[in-house]
Amino acid sequence: NSSTPIVSPATNTTYGVIVSSGLCVDTAFVVVNVIQAIAANAGKDQSTCPGESVTLGIPSQNGASYTWNPPIYLNNSKSSNPTCTPTASTEYVLTVTSSAGCISFDTVKVTVADKLEITLPSDTATCPGIPIIIKPIGGQTYKWYPPIGINDTNASEPVFTPQQTTTYYVEAKNGNCKGNDSITIRILPLPNLQAGQDQSICIGDSTLLTAQGATVYTWFTNAAGDIGTGNQLSVSPSVSTLYYVRGSNGACSVLDSVFVTIKPQPKVSA
């Protein structure tokens, strides 16, 4: 019943009023048009490195004005999508004012990383001469050192074949961000495998081959393939034969061989 009511319509609305004075009555109408505010959009939170730039916000919309606070690190605090080159993490508030005076707000945080985080696998081990591929995570470019036993010191997935236990260091970069990490590749010892002395026997006889220096043994020939396990093997070849033994210490393995010669039969004269 107020003569000056306050209204807050969500959409365009026509309001009517009835005025009476004694027996006299009159009506009047007024249309309130609702002008939609322009939604402020500061963009997603971002991370960057010292000295690198990121772009905030979105392209401008007709008739709107933009204000960023605080204005530090921005090339233009009145732009809808300014360039931000921060040296410290900062949270910005964007205020958008439409041509009709409607105001909206949004916020965005720009985080400046102190250091690039690099992830390497755990320290590992290999046998002499067996290559290992190391794949770091977190950088765009890499520099490895020392440059010994590595196929490419600038590779993102280099192949390592060190001759001795070595700690490798990597410097990674992602724009202006830098990070460092290291990994140690331990070289495992080879078994000191010995297949024994070459032997000579008569046809039809047998001999005992004895290997030592490993914990697991596998005997084989080129013709027959695997023929036995254990450090000893009894053989009775019909022809001179080269016997191989593969010896392992649980991690690394090596080969050795022993040659068994069949002695020529003596000639018997009457």
Side-chain angles (χ1 to χ4, degrees):
N1 296 321
S2 172
S3 62
T4 56
I6 297 174
V7 296
S8 299
T11 60
N12 296 341
T13 304
T14 300
Y15 293 92
V17 61
I18 301 174
V19 180
S20 63
S21 178
L23 296 176
C24 296
V25 178
D26 196 6
T27 59
F29 298 90
V30 64
V31 177
V32 177
N33 292 319
V34 177
I35 302 173
Q36 298 297 326
I38 297 176
N41 188 345
K44 295 181 179 179
D45 291 346
Q46 301 190 53
S47 297
T48 187
C49 299
E52 290 191 338
S53 298
V54 295
T55 300
L56 307 182
I58 61 174
S60 63
Q61 300 184 48
N62 292 335
S65 63
Y66 299 81
T67 303
W68 295 84
N69 280 298
I72 57 174
Y73 310 129
L74 302 178
N75 68 329
N76 184 355
S77 64
K78 299 297 183 180
S79 170
S80 65
N81 55 340
T83 299
C84 177
T85 311
T87 58
S89 298
T90 307
E91 186 169 13
Y92 294 94
V93 177
L94 170 63
T95 302
V96 179
T97 305
S98 71
S99 58
C102 297
I103 298 175
S104 61
F105 303 92
D106 197 14
T107 61
V108 64
K109 185 174 183 179
V110 180
T111 302
V112 178
D114 294 328
K115 183 181 179 181
L116 182 64
E117 294 296 328
I118 300 301
T119 302
L120 286 177
S122 301
D123 292 345
T124 188
T126 187
C127 300
I130 303 300
I132 287 183
I133 297 176
I134 302 297
K135 183 178 181 179
I137 299 174
Q140 290 183 336
T141 62
Y142 300 91
K143 179 67 176 180
W144 298 87
Y145 57 94
I148 301 171
I150 179 173
N151 69 325
D152 186 350
T153 58
N154 296 309
S156 59
E157 296 183 40
V159 179
F160 295 87
T161 315
Q163 297 302 308
Q164 59 187 6
T165 296
T166 305
T167 298
Y168 290 94
Y169 300 87
V170 61
E171 179 185 79
K173 292 184 179 181
N174 190 343
N176 290 330
C177 284
K178 296 181 180 179
N180 298 276
D181 204 353
S182 64
I183 184 172
T184 297
I185 300 177
R186 185 166 55 92
I187 299 301
L188 301 172
L190 292 172
N192 184 24
L193 180 65
Q194 299 178 27
Q197 297 291 324
D198 293 342
Q199 299 186 39
S200 297
I201 61 174
C202 295
I203 191 168
D205 291 344
S206 62
T207 186
L208 186 66
L209 305 181
T210 301
Q212 59 182 3
T215 55
V216 178
Y217 303 86
T218 302
W219 296 87
F220 65 95
T221 66
N222 288 332
D226 291 352
I227 55 175
T229 59
N231 72 311
Q232 291 186 321
L233 180 70
S234 179
V235 297
S236 180
S238 58
V239 295
S240 297
T241 304
L242 181 64
Y243 292 90
Y244 295 93
V245 61
R246 181 185 296 107
S248 170
N249 58 9
C252 302
S253 62
V254 295
L255 290 176
D256 198 9
S257 62
V258 58
F259 193 69
V260 178
T261 302
I262 300 299
K263 298 178 182 179
Q265 293 184 348
K267 297 181 178 180
V268 179
S269 57

